[in-house]
Amino acid sequence: MLSLLCPASAAHAYDDALQARQDAETRAAIAAAERAELLARLPPATSKPLSGAVELRQFGAAGLVKAFDLARQLAGDVCSALPADRKTSVYEPGATQGILAARLVQDAIERFGDDLGRQNKLLQQAIDAHAPQGSKAGLILPALSAVPATLRAAADLSALFKTDVGVEGLAYGEGARSLFVTALARQCPDKVAGLGAGYLGELDAKPYDSLLAKVRSLATQRGELANRTALVQRLADAAKGDEKKELAALAAVGGTLLKSADAFIDSLRAGETGERSPLFNAARYLGYAARTRDMLVLDFDLRLEGMTIVKDNLFSGQRLRLAGVAFLWYRLHEPNGALRLADTVRRMTAPVEVDLRGDAVGGAFWGGTEQARK
């Protein structure tokens, strides 16, 4: 057929075919360029953002807001269960150990004072019997006994307060216990008096003054013991024979007692404050023990968890959901350990959605003040 066409017609047909091919290539190149531009604007296919990505790191603490609210609700439940005719103190291992150690310190001071008084009395009897004007007929020298070994072993009473007792929280952290106790005291201050942690009344001067008076009495008795021991030593120097040996032995025992008294009084650290001073710590815990005497004891365990879910969507943006979970089990005891009541409580809040672009949940959620007053 081409042979039948004239040369001019064949050339024209060839030009049309070539132009059509060039137009097709141009359209394909433009389409490829537009597709590449669209792909460049979209994130990589491996991130898959269109299905929503869960991310907790940006708002990890936000869920604790709901756990915080749950702790206040649980405090109200426990307040309702506490009896109205008796005050309640919260059991805290650290405070309990402090009270027991403080009682040991007080007992040690009193027993040491009794021992020094007895030794002084015996030394005075020996002095009266061996003085030139005393009668030696039928004399039996008193046998001074050393300070009890239990007190000598506890001369450094600081060791009673060196143990660090702490309570570890779960999920919410160590603040969960303090949060619950504070909420408990806020909701029923007429029922709860002793919180067992924080300020225990160390500014109350009465317990410290009472212990300090006992220490001053020890110092006075120690001085009297030193004077009598020195006098017995002088009598021993003037005596002869068996009497000299007996008096010298008596003076030696008195010297040993003086060293024990010095070590004991020094261990009390009466001129210091803080955990290194047994006297200061003992006064602090004795005051707290006096205020919580005969109260019921509340022992509890609490677990608070806050759940935070953030969905990040390419087209709808971020969506935040918060929920809280709380588990509480508690026991109420008499001071002697008898059980009054026990219960277990759990709470779980429905997820609350927070619009990060607005205030869909209302102002009470953000501030918490309205809920706190209810």
Side-chain angles (χ1 to χ4, degrees):
M1 293 296 293
L2 291 177
S3 63
L4 298 176
L5 295 175
C6 66
S9 298
H12 183 70
Y14 177 78
D15 292 339
D16 290 342
L18 183 60
Q19 183 63 41
R21 181 178 179 183
Q22 291 176 349
D23 292 342
E25 291 177 352
T26 301
R27 287 193 298 270
I30 293 174
E34 291 177 348
R35 180 173 178 274
E37 183 180 359
L38 288 175
L39 289 176
R41 293 178 180 179
L42 293 175
T46 54
S47 64
K48 299 180 181 179
L50 296 178
S51 62
V54 178
E55 174 62 54
L56 299 178
R57 290 172 296 180
Q58 296 178 353
F59 299 93
L64 296 181
V65 173
K66 301 304 295 179
F68 182 93
D69 295 339
L70 282 177
R72 295 193 300 197
Q73 294 177 19
L74 291 175
D77 295 342
V78 175
C79 278
S80 300
L82 294 179
D85 58 336
R86 293 274 299 277
K87 291 281 189 178
T88 299
S89 63
V90 176
Y91 172 73
E92 186 71 33
T96 301
Q97 185 185 30
I99 291 174
L100 297 177
R103 289 172 179 170
L104 289 177
V105 172
Q106 184 181 42
D107 179 68
I109 293 174
E110 292 175 352
R111 287 202 295 167
F112 210 108
D114 293 341
D115 283 338
L116 287 180
R118 181 168 56 88
Q119 309 300 352
N120 274 317
K121 182 178 180 180
L122 293 175
L123 278 177
Q124 187 60 48
Q125 291 176 357
I127 292 171
D128 293 341
H130 287 77
Q133 67 275 18
S135 173
K136 300 179 184 179
L139 173 66
I140 300 177
L141 288 177
L144 292 184
S145 60
V147 178
T150 54
L151 289 183
R152 290 203 307 270
D156 186 7
L157 293 175
S158 299
L160 293 173
F161 296 94
K162 287 180 180 177
T163 302
D164 184 13
V165 179
V167 180
E168 294 183 0
L170 295 175
Y172 195 91
E174 295 183 1
R177 187 175 181 87
S178 179
L179 163 63
F180 179 77
V181 169
T182 303
L184 194 70
R186 179 190 178 278
Q187 297 197 36
C188 51
D190 55 329
K191 296 181 178 180
V192 179
L195 303 184
Y199 176 68
L200 298 181
E202 47 264 43
L203 294 179
D204 185 0
K206 293 181 181 179
Y208 186 78
D209 291 344
S210 176
L211 284 180
L212 198 59
K214 289 179 170 56
V215 175
R216 292 194 186 100
S217 177
L218 282 183
T220 300
Q221 290 176 314
R222 186 268 176 207
E224 293 175 355
L225 181 66
N227 292 334
R228 288 186 172 94
T229 300
L231 184 55
V232 169
Q233 184 61 52
R234 288 197 296 270
L235 291 175
D237 294 339
K240 296 180 180 180
D242 292 339
E243 183 181 11
K244 182 180 183 68
K245 294 180 180 179
E246 292 173 351
L247 287 174
L250 197 61
V253 174
T256 301
L257 294 176
L258 284 175
K259 293 180 180 179
S260 298
D262 290 340
F264 181 81
I265 294 174
D266 183 66
S267 71
L268 295 174
R269 299 181 182 271
E272 300 180 12
T273 59
E275 63 180 12
R276 297 187 60 186
S277 171
L279 195 71
F280 173 80
N281 273 311
R284 181 175 184 243
Y285 286 107
L286 286 175
Y288 179 72
R291 285 186 295 276
T292 57
R293 188 186 305 274
D294 298 328
M295 288 187 183
L296 297 173
V297 180
L298 176 66
D299 183 18
F300 72 92
D301 291 288
L302 175 65
R303 177 170 180 171
L304 289 176
E305 291 188 5
M307 182 171 63
T308 304
I309 299 178
V310 179
K311 282 195 172 182
D312 191 2
N313 192 284
L314 177 65
F315 298 105
S316 62
Q318 287 184 330
R319 301 174 65 185
L320 177 64
R321 289 188 178 94
L322 307 176
V325 181
F327 300 94
L328 173 70
W329 49 106
Y330 64 92
R331 290 77 54 185
L332 189 65
H333 299 270
E334 293 284 350
N336 63 4
L339 182 66
R340 283 283 298 264
L341 64 91
D343 199 1
T344 58
V345 186
R346 67 101 172 167
R347 293 285 187 274
M348 185 173 183
T349 63
V352 174
E353 184 168 323
V354 180
D355 188 352
L356 296 177
R357 298 167 298 182
D359 56 353
V361 294
F365 173 81
W366 298 109
T369 54
E370 294 300 325
Q371 294 182 3
R373 294 193 181 101
K374 292 181 181 179

